[in-house]
Amino acid sequence: MSSPESLRFTGHRSFTWRLVLATLTGRPVHISKIRSSSPTNPGLAPHEISFLRLLEAVTNGSTMQISYTGTTVTYHPGLITGTIAGFGASEDEVIEHNIPANNTRGVTYFLMPICLLAPFSKAHMNVRFSGPGVITSATQKGDMSVDSFRTAVLPLFGLFGIPPARIELRLLQRSCPGKGGRGGGGIVELRFASQVRLPKTLHLNRNPGRIKRIRGVAYSTGVSASNNGRMIYAAREVLNPLSSDIHVAAQYDQAPLVSNPDKTKTRTGIGFGLSLVAESSSAGVIYSADVVAPPTGGVVPEDIGKQCAYQLLENIAQGGCVSRTSAGTVLTLMAMGSEDMGRLRIGRDVIGTEEVVGLARDLKAFGASSWGLRDVDEDDSGDIIVSVKGAGVGNIGRKVA
Amino acid sequence: MASVLGKRKSRNTELSISEEEAQAIFRRHFEAQFKPLPEQPKSNPQIADDDLATDTDESDDSEWGGISDEDDGDGSSEQSVEVIDHTSSNTHDPTVSMSKRELKAFMSSRPPSTDTTPSSVPAPAEPPSDPEDEDERTLRAQDLALQRLLSESHLLASLTPGSVHSTAAAHKPFAAGRLRHKTTDLRIQSLAGADSIYDQKKMPMAMRKRILATRQARDDKRRREAKENGIILEHPSSINKNKKTLAPARPRRDQAVDAPAVGRLKGAQLRLSERDVRAIEGSGGRDSVGRVGPGRAGAGKRGRR
């Protein structure tokens, strides 16, 4: 089997997207100059190493080489197998993935790419994230919380013919970022049982509609449960005049108990945060917002609630049918879909972000067709309709089986 | 009690006899001579002591009760209209925002299902009957329709006036209704495997044999002609099974429940035939003929039900 020429990238930006695209298209990648200019922390960060381990667990035959300093990675993708008994899966058919304590990213950093791979895997994708580094809340680094991921991103898979009813995301233990934003101690289990041959073509170019309802989760972990009520109260003060159907659930949990290397046990991951999700009257249009208290503390819950409400309003104001957090997932699934033109209405401020432009360039480098952009002329919203041609890659494991 | 005391007092002092008592005396006198008077609303005995108040009260009560309400409304004047302000957020209790079921569905491990998604998404995606579409579902539906048409075509043929198979029944009134009943009967037969309700249960054997033979002959002829003309007919098995014209492939013998798994029990004696012995011995390796023991044993042995 002749391996094709590997694609060359530089920098640590969109590390997971590049690896996911490499796995989906089967092209090897070579990423160099990863934080090579940093004198203190050169090379791959702990969460990136952990993600490479996870990729190795859910694929078969993938190889990766990391240079001595960690600034260069070569990745040869294998087949996406998912959870197959006897290949690293435990007795209840779950791949256990441990995240080290020095991880600073939320668990959605891992969940997002895994959910992109899962529809194309050969078997079900069952992964349990555990260990002293799992942060289920939102983080200051910009990861969304698990609640937002479940309520705002996973329903979007239904638009591609990937039934969300067969996706399960169990939050067995909540956790906020620990001391210095490092580590958590949460437990999250993803069971992704809806594998498809090829995602359907998406046509989401209609009017995004008006906000029908707002839902949300306020979570306090290891701090007073009254914070939930205060966050909800502050958020409702902003949102109540705008929408009549607002429901925010309150969730209080004990802080997770994490065992240290020296056999002692401490409670970490204390904090609180709010996740808000707005559903539009148009099917499949969901906006979300996430704000969490910083690990240093010193913030009152009213501020968090108000900030989150304003962030949600800002995301709604950006318009389009996808928000900034879910745009990458939707666009990638469109690019991997059937060989047909899919259309997506997207806000001008959303497509102008660094991530989306970077994703477009990466997709082009991986051999996908370029996107076509045109202005929406039905109304004066200033949105842009992106036409994405599917690569027709589909599920190789399904093709054989 | 006060009124009673008052009465006693008034009785002692005859001059100050109350208006009410005087009325009562007159009334008693009147009723003794004539018929009983209709009952009058009794005024409050406590107010009755006060002469002036009694006057006004009685007149008020008898005419319209509204004013007396307003009179003693002085006591309940603080009962004002309740004002509920829906515009401010203070009235909302943040903790009881979602119903229990909704909360459970929202906080479950599955992604929340949006009510609109299932109802609105399939509608444009699935045009229900597009015969050109070579989808698996439409193909299956077409196949089912074709099989139905084939299996029921002989009913249609007998009722078509110009056809060769047309019978006298076709010209009778309400023949279409009969056709519908027969079609329904056929479908029920194919679904439930039951006998047709149009079969007559009791009839002379010669007649039954003749009917069956005629039906068989007609069917054979129909199939032969169809074959000659290259017409595809339905699968013959479904008809023959229901008619019970063919014997089952392997008649099932009735076994006693307590029959032994090996050999034959006669009296109190278990008799093993040579075949049984071979089957038992051959379970490990090969028997004398060279076949594998267990398979042979399983094949040769009558199965216990």
Side-chain angles (χ1 to χ4, degrees):
Chain A
M1 187 171 135
S2 66
S3 77
E5 182 72 13
S6 58
L7 297 166
R8 292 183 173 273
F9 294 102
T10 54
H12 67 278
R13 305 230 170 248
S14 54
F15 183 76
T16 53
W17 288 110
R18 285 170 178 166
L19 291 185
V20 163
L21 290 177
T23 316
L24 286 174
T25 55
R27 299 282 301 271
V29 287
H30 176 90
I31 304 175
S32 55
K33 292 186 184 166
I34 299 172
R35 297 192 188 89
S36 55
S37 59
S38 164
T40 48
N41 294 314
L44 290 168
H47 55 266
E48 288 160 352
I49 299 277
S50 188
F51 180 67
L52 281 173
R53 286 188 196 284
L54 179 60
L55 265 188
E56 196 184 13
V58 300
T59 57
N60 186 17
S62 53
T63 57
M64 47 204 77
Q65 286 115 36
I66 305 173
S67 73
Y68 189 71
T69 51
T71 54
T72 307
V73 175
T74 313
Y75 173 66
H76 287 266
L79 280 177
I80 311 165
T81 51
T83 308
I84 293 178
F87 284 91
S90 64
E91 68 284 347
D92 48 349
E93 295 185 349
V94 168
I95 291 176
E96 187 97 27
H97 184 67
N98 257 286
I99 299 179
N102 51 2
N103 167 48
T104 55
R105 303 295 298 258
V107 76
T108 47
Y109 173 84
F110 304 94
L111 282 173
M112 198 99 80
I114 279 297
C115 283
L116 274 180
L117 294 181
F120 305 99
S121 102
K122 195 175 162 81
H124 295 180
M125 186 76 88
N126 302 336
V127 185
R128 184 190 296 140
F129 296 92
S130 59
V134 181
I135 306 168
T136 65
S137 75
T139 59
Q140 300 278 305
K141 303 240 173 181
D143 298 310
M144 65 200 311
S145 68
V146 175
D147 297 290
S148 290
F149 184 74
R150 180 174 59 83
T151 52
V153 176
L154 286 183
L156 298 178
F157 281 80
L159 304 173
F160 294 95
I162 304 164
R166 288 171 63 77
I167 309 172
E168 212 177 331
L169 189 60
R170 293 182 191 159
L171 243 171
L172 304 174
Q173 171 71 60
R174 280 173 190 273
S175 172
C176 285
K179 240 178 235 165
R182 276 189 297 277
I187 303 172
V188 178
E189 193 174 306
L190 171 76
R191 286 179 179 266
F192 202 110
S194 47
Q195 274 71 35
V196 289
R197 166 75 190 82
L198 207 62
K200 277 185 191 161
T201 314
L202 181 70
H203 297 290
L204 205 59
N205 56 341
R206 56 185 173 271
N207 196 296
R210 302 179 77 86
I211 296 305
K212 187 175 57 177
R213 64 174 88 144
I214 295 174
R215 295 282 179 272
V217 180
Y219 47 87
S220 300
T221 311
V223 293
S224 163
S226 68
N227 289 329
N228 285 332
R230 291 166 69 185
M231 279 188 289
I232 295 170
Y233 189 91
R236 291 191 78 129
E237 266 184 350
V238 178
L239 297 173
N240 264 353
L242 306 172
S243 173
S244 59
D245 190 4
I246 305 174
H247 288 314
V248 184
Q251 185 81 37
Y252 165 75
D253 292 272
Q254 233 183 354
L257 203 60
V258 174
S259 52
N260 297 324
D262 54 342
K263 304 286 187 222
T264 57
K265 287 194 172 182
T266 48
R267 293 204 179 271
T268 62
I270 290 169
F272 55 89
L274 183 62
S275 139
L276 290 175
V277 174
E279 279 174 49
S280 157
S281 56
S282 178
V285 180
I286 303 174
Y287 305 98
S288 68
D290 255 309
V291 177
V292 70
T296 49
V299 185
V300 287
E302 280 83 3
D303 286 352
I304 300 287
K306 200 162 272 188
Q307 259 183 49
C308 192
Y310 284 134
Q311 192 184 331
L312 182 72
L313 294 181
E314 191 188 343
N315 280 343
I316 295 169
Q318 282 176 351
C321 290
V322 287
S323 65
R324 192 183 285 209
T325 43
S326 52
T329 308
V330 173
L331 286 167
T332 309
L333 278 175
M334 285 173 84
M336 292 301 130
S338 52
E339 282 185 291
D340 194 4
M341 276 306 227
R343 291 164 295 171
L344 178 69
R345 181 168 167 157
I346 198 166
R348 200 171 277 270
D349 293 332
V350 176
I351 200 168
T353 52
E354 195 183 339
E355 296 92 37
V356 177
V357 175
L359 176 67
R361 289 185 181 146
D362 287 351
L363 275 172
K364 200 178 172 190
F366 276 102
S369 321
S370 305
W371 294 349
L373 307 182
R374 73 173 171 84
D375 284 319
V376 172
D377 37 16
E378 292 104 63
D379 46 24
D380 52 353
S381 59
D383 289 349
I384 289 174
I385 288 187
V386 187
S387 311
V388 183
K389 184 171 172 290
V393 174
N395 195 330
I396 296 161
R398 293 259 146 173
K399 216 181 271 181
V400 174
Chain B
M1 274 311 209
S3 67
V4 176
L5 285 172
K7 271 179 189 169
R8 231 176 248 162
K9 213 180 244 174
S10 66
R11 219 171 270 150
N12 289 344
T13 58
E14 275 181 63
L15 290 173
S16 63
I17 184 166
S18 81
E19 182 103 17
E20 193 187 17
E21 247 172 329
Q23 287 273 345
I25 292 164
F26 282 133
R27 185 192 175 107
R28 234 176 289 138
H29 184 70
F30 180 84
E31 282 179 356
Q33 292 209 327
F34 304 102
K35 61 175 184 175
L37 283 169
E39 271 292 313
Q40 284 213 331
K42 260 193 176 177
S43 63
N44 198 342
Q46 277 190 332
I47 311 168
D49 284 348
D50 193 347
D51 298 0
L52 248 170
T54 314
D55 258 354
T56 52
D57 261 25
E58 267 185 359
S59 63
D60 281 347
D61 274 340
S62 59
E63 281 177 20
W64 31 287
I67 283 184
S68 74
D69 264 0
E70 206 176 53
D71 278 347
D72 58 19
D74 290 309
S76 62
S77 63
E78 55 258 31
Q79 187 188 36
S80 59
V81 177
E82 195 184 353
V83 178
I84 301 169
D85 189 8
H86 284 288
T87 53
S88 84
S89 63
N90 299 1
T91 52
H92 289 282
D93 186 3
T95 49
V96 284
S97 52
M98 264 192 266
S99 74
K100 208 159 194 179
R101 225 177 80 206
E102 207 183 356
L103 184 77
K104 210 171 174 187
F106 184 73
M107 295 301 287
S108 72
S109 59
R110 311 246 175 220
S113 62
T114 48
D115 320 349
T116 54
T117 313
S119 62
S120 63
V121 166
E126 301 269 332
S129 58
D130 184 14
E132 302 302 312
D133 190 14
E134 296 221 332
D135 191 9
E136 191 190 353
R137 253 180 62 198
T138 53
L139 283 179
R140 209 183 306 136
Q142 283 171 1
D143 189 44
L144 185 69
L146 179 66
Q147 281 299 329
R148 264 198 181 160
L149 178 69
L150 289 174
S151 62
E152 288 156 12
S153 57
H154 66 280
L155 294 175
L156 290 167
S158 72
L159 282 174
T160 317
S163 155
V164 193
H165 303 284
S166 135
T167 56
H171 307 290
K172 281 184 183 169
F174 306 112
R178 189 172 156 71
L179 170 71
R180 187 166 51 90
H181 286 307
K182 282 199 151 183
T183 316
T184 313
D185 183 49
L186 257 185
R187 288 186 189 171
I188 289 171
Q189 279 182 61
S190 67
L191 277 177
D195 290 332
S196 166
I197 54 166
Y198 296 108
D199 278 348
Q200 196 176 340
K201 295 272 160 44
K202 287 172 93 74
M203 65 166 77
M205 185 185 268
M207 200 188 270
R208 180 189 298 278
K209 276 182 177 168
R210 187 68 206 154
I211 287 174
L212 283 178
T214 314
R215 194 181 290 166
Q216 189 72 35
R218 200 183 287 147
D219 193 52
D220 285 349
K221 190 187 167 202
R222 187 171 71 94
R223 289 196 174 278
R224 200 177 58 242
E225 283 178 353
K227 202 175 177 187
E228 281 164 5
N229 296 331
I231 299 167
I232 299 165
L233 286 183
E234 80 279 5
H235 304 304
S237 59
S238 63
I239 294 275
N240 286 339
K241 185 180 68 191
N242 289 332
K243 282 181 184 169
K244 291 179 183 168
T245 48
L246 291 179
R250 196 199 274 164
R252 191 181 278 164
R253 272 178 60 192
D254 278 300
Q255 289 268 319
V257 220
D258 54 346
V262 164
R264 186 172 301 164
L265 201 64
K266 205 168 189 184
Q269 190 182 19
L270 184 71
R271 291 190 177 177
L272 295 176
S273 68
E274 211 177 317
R275 217 175 71 177
D276 290 332
V277 173
R278 241 190 293 129
I280 295 164
E281 283 178 346
S283 61
R286 287 166 177 277
D287 62 13
S288 59
V289 194
R291 284 170 289 203
V292 182
R296 168 109 181 81
K301 196 63 224 154
R302 54 214 160 120
R304 287 186 69 180
R305 288 186 292 134

